[in-house]
Amino acid sequence: MSQKRTLYTIYILNFFLAFSIAIPAYFNSTFLKEYTSEKFVGLIFTVGSFLTLIAFANMPRVLRALTNYKTIISLLLLQIVLLLTLSASSTILLIAPIFILYWTVIPLLRFNLDIFLESQSTDEETGRIRGIFLTSANIAWVFAPAIAGLILTNGDYWKTFLTSSLLILPMIYLVRTRL
């Protein structure tokens, strides 16, 4: 596969990932507050961020064992399960640990995409390639609030998580067929 086609695939993957993250992002705290106190919401985000640091420390071992391709497929499948669980859950005892894992997987997926991007860029092209990569994500973040506003009615946060999980499906297809 040509470098140009692979780069376009990575840009599209980045768009879908950002869109999947951005749709519920504007409502995550409000969603969690429906089930617990504001202090506990902060704790959930803190634990998720701490777990992310631990996960990043272990990523070299994971990548050596699984490869970037298998790692991103596994994380995408895990993310679908986590989002579907969030969309169907109504108890903080389930929501809190699932949300923590969801929050942890997001930067890991970004990291995996960045590895694919790095493998396709040369020093001379890095600025242009990264600029397009970041623009693809920013476009998703621009449109996400409007789409989320249309999806979210009467506090039905489950719809945002369900939509986000559906946005991961084309990513799995693209990774499997184009990377």
Side-chain angles (χ1 to χ4, degrees):
M1 184 180 322
S2 75
Q3 177 200 23
K4 195 176 225 180
R5 183 174 172 196
T6 302
L7 282 171
Y8 287 139
T9 299
I10 294 168
Y11 300 151
I12 293 167
L13 286 167
N14 196 40
F15 173 83
F16 276 108
L17 179 60
F19 208 38
S20 175
I21 295 165
I23 286 178
Y26 296 98
F27 310 106
N28 283 336
S29 296
T30 309
F31 165 72
L32 291 171
K33 206 172 99 176
E34 294 279 318
Y35 301 97
T36 190
S37 69
E38 288 181 31
K39 287 182 181 180
F40 196 65
V41 169
L43 182 63
I44 290 170
F45 280 101
T46 302
V47 171
S49 297
F50 183 72
L51 190 58
T52 300
L53 294 174
I54 293 170
F56 270 127
N58 289 293
M59 280 304 280
R61 265 187 296 159
V62 171
L63 292 171
R64 276 192 298 277
L66 295 179
T67 73
N68 194 46
Y69 173 82
K70 289 179 184 174
T71 301
I72 199 166
I73 291 290
S74 299
L75 289 172
L76 288 169
L77 291 171
L78 175 61
Q79 195 71 327
I80 288 174
V81 170
L82 295 172
L83 285 163
L84 289 175
T85 305
L86 285 172
S87 74
S89 299
S90 60
T91 173
I92 193 63
L93 295 176
L94 184 58
I95 290 171
I98 295 300
F99 189 88
I100 289 167
L101 288 175
Y102 161 74
W103 192 249
T104 301
V105 170
I106 290 170
L108 299 177
L109 284 167
R110 288 180 176 156
F111 178 73
N112 288 116
L113 273 183
D114 193 62
I115 291 172
F116 282 119
L117 186 70
E118 179 69 26
S119 72
Q120 296 299 312
S121 63
T122 62
D123 288 342
E124 300 81 32
E125 300 175 307
T126 298
R128 181 184 61 78
I129 288 171
R130 288 220 174 262
I132 296 169
F133 183 74
L134 293 172
T135 300
S136 68
N138 288 333
I139 290 169
W141 278 92
V142 166
F143 290 107
I147 301 300
L150 293 172
I151 294 169
L152 185 65
T153 55
N154 302 322
D156 292 334
Y157 299 105
W158 67 269
K159 293 177 185 177
T160 63
F161 293 117
L162 179 62
T163 302
S164 291
S165 70
L166 294 175
L167 287 168
I168 294 174
L169 295 174
M171 291 183 66
I172 293 171
Y173 173 78
L174 288 171
V175 169
R176 290 188 54 100
T177 61
R178 301 253 178 115
L179 295 181

